[in-house]
Amino acid sequence: MAKAQTKDFEIMIEIGATTTASTTPLDMTDYVDIADNEAFEVHAVDLVLDPTESIASFGADVEARFQLADSNIQAFVSHSDRTSLYVTRQLLDSPSLAAYEQSSFSDLTPLIVSKTIFLRHIHDLAGQTLDYTLRIKGRIVKPSAKDYMALVLTQTGNVA
């Protein structure tokens, strides 16, 4: 069992999504100190359109896609891929001012031992950069040998 090194905390990261798919590296050490032999234990992930954006001003429906991964993905990958930690697809319906979301967080592998994670993003509203906020909730832990073994087995697909 991983031993907590910190209390739970949240990291908020502003993301500007455009109509060109891109991957943004997120160096976790920019936000929190992670020592050698420690990991970031993720408890929850959310991604929301900033309140600075007005759905009514879009004039059209907008679809946005995001994927958080622990490797530098250069294209969206299936959420069943072991690198995918979180995916969300959001539909912002301008005429009715409604927002729909489909998301999934893979809490089977919540320990992030690499110090950089990657966020792939795109939306389809031409000529606009839309501001989003990524919220990651978790804590820093010192993984045990069993935690490392479980992580290796999960990432290689050798789980019972």
Side-chain angles (χ1 to χ4, degrees):
M1 181 79 166
K3 181 181 176 196
Q5 300 296 101
T6 67
K7 293 184 184 256
D8 284 6
F9 59 87
E10 292 181 340
I11 297 172
M12 305 281 198
I13 303 168
E14 292 182 29
I15 300 295
T18 66
T19 56
T20 303
S22 60
T23 302
T24 301
L26 305 172
D27 183 347
M28 300 311 292
T29 60
D30 288 347
Y31 309 101
V32 65
D33 289 331
I34 305 172
D36 290 338
N37 299 319
E38 289 183 345
F40 183 38
E41 183 179 69
V42 179
H43 297 164
V45 179
D46 294 307
L47 198 126
V48 297
L49 183 67
D50 272 351
T52 58
E53 299 288 356
S54 170
I55 295 174
S57 69
F58 295 165
D61 292 345
V62 177
E63 180 190 22
R65 293 182 292 154
F66 299 88
Q67 185 164 37
L68 191 63
D70 62 3
S71 66
N72 192 2
I73 55 174
Q74 295 304 306
F76 287 99
V77 298
S78 170
H79 191 40
S80 65
D81 188 303
R82 306 245 183 264
T83 193
S84 182
L85 304 170
Y86 170 79
V87 294
T88 187
R89 180 183 302 260
Q90 300 177 356
L91 176 63
L92 307 170
D93 186 354
S94 182
S96 68
L97 300 179
Y100 306 94
E101 177 185 33
Q102 175 191 32
S103 63
S104 176
F105 169 59
S106 176
D107 56 358
L108 185 62
T109 321
L111 289 179
I112 309 298
V113 292
S114 62
K115 296 201 179 355
T116 303
I117 56 178
F118 300 87
L119 181 67
R120 184 118 179 116
H121 46 85
I122 188 171
H123 73 77
D124 63 359
L125 184 61
Q128 298 261 355
T129 297
L130 298 179
D131 295 326
Y132 288 82
T133 297
L134 173 67
R135 179 185 71 93
I136 305 173
K137 180 181 175 186
R139 64 185 178 178
I140 303 301
V141 298
K142 188 165 204 74
S144 68
K146 287 182 181 181
D147 291 322
Y148 279 114
M149 183 58 74
L151 185 63
V152 168
L153 291 174
T154 301
Q155 288 179 338
T156 60
N158 294 325
V159 292

